[in-house]
Amino acid sequence: MKLSKKMIAILCSVVVIVGGVIFVSTRPHSALKDVKMTYSGYNGRGRYDYVDKHSVNDNLFDILSKRYHLSDSAKTTLKENSIAANPDPKNVASNMMDYYQENAATFTDKDQEAIKKIAGDMRMITVKESLSEGSIKNGDKLNIKVSAPRSTKIKNESRTFKVSGLKKSTVLTNDDLKKHLKVSISGDSGNGKVTVSTDKQGEKYGLDQLPIVQQNSDDLDETYSDDQSNGSLKNGDKVQIYDQNEINEVLPEQYTMKDSANYSIKISDLTDVSKLNYDALTDAGVKALTDDDTFNFKDPKLEAAFIHNDGSIDDHSADKYAAILLYKTSYEDEDMIHDKVDRVDTDASVTLSNIKVENGKLIPSNDEDDISLNATDDDLKQFKDNHEDDIKLK
């Protein structure tokens, strides 16, 4: 049958229309085409957001909702409860399924199937934003990239936006921060403590919110060096006053850093108790043993001496300490049966409390209540092992 020119024209038109419909229905859809960005905050610490909160996730959800014929009512409900500012569509999919599972009865069977398909597709899509919130500056290039499998019919694409309109910030250097902190070191080596305070200008920079400034002097649990806690610091320890992350947390947004914000100090010039003269302690221990009415110890010889390194002497404001000294000594034991006196060799320890430091010397208290004697079965090695965490004098 011979077709007329009119019929051929009609058939060609039908082919074009059908082909166009097929092309439109199968071509990938853009989730970025109408995205617009807005910027707020201060230069160097700026933030970005989508204009009218219309994000890439909104577009993805709209495209997939249309593809899977989700009803308008279900679409509105899910948008209100699932579309997050987080750029990861996988989070949106999880939020969507959580809401759906808790409220499944409120959706029609058709909508339930559509929701599962939308969530399934969104789990396969990745959206990456090249900049981090809170750190952008004018002139930065924000690149948003969408990656999706072919089956989702979402277009793989990227768009770049230039940051502008951020307010002028005040630029600070690390030295600008350091000069508004007062660092004090107290105590002795092995029991040192760092105290940090700030002034009014430092408070404007948020330095009063730094952990080491806020710490309570009675709470020594915070660790500020590799292996020592504040309150048990020794000469040579390195203490971090703040680092970049801590400054980022406390610095108000109108300020930005020109250089890296890091401040550490090395502990020095603390009194090394182990190097102080302790002759007066030795003498006090000898006197306590020889004056003892019970045993009347003879010829005490000092074998070992330690300054206690625990809470019992942690009174740095008074510079007072406690020491324990071990002596090799003897006493006389009267043998009534054989009418003789035996000399018994033994070890004895003396504990001295409220010791002071004067002119480079450890000076014992004159109060009898600050002196105590203890018989001990420990030999020299055991005694030293028992006090390995204390400060060794001898």
Side-chain angles (χ1 to χ4, degrees), residues 20-38:
V21 170
I22 294 173
F23 173 75
V24 170
S25 64
T26 58
R27 70 176 179 177
H29 296 277
S30 172
L32 290 175
K33 64 178 181 180
D34 60 350
V35 167
K36 296 179 181 179
M37 306 304 296
T38 182

Side-chain angles (χ1 to χ4, degrees), residues 26-55:
T26 58
R27 70 176 179 177
H29 296 277
S30 172
L32 290 175
K33 64 178 181 180
D34 60 350
V35 167
K36 296 179 181 179
M37 306 304 296
T38 182
Y39 310 100
S40 60
Y42 289 82
N43 190 38
R45 302 189 71 185
R47 301 177 298 277
Y48 59 86
D49 201 353
Y50 295 93
V51 172
D52 299 327
K53 303 295 182 182
H54 192 75
S55 68

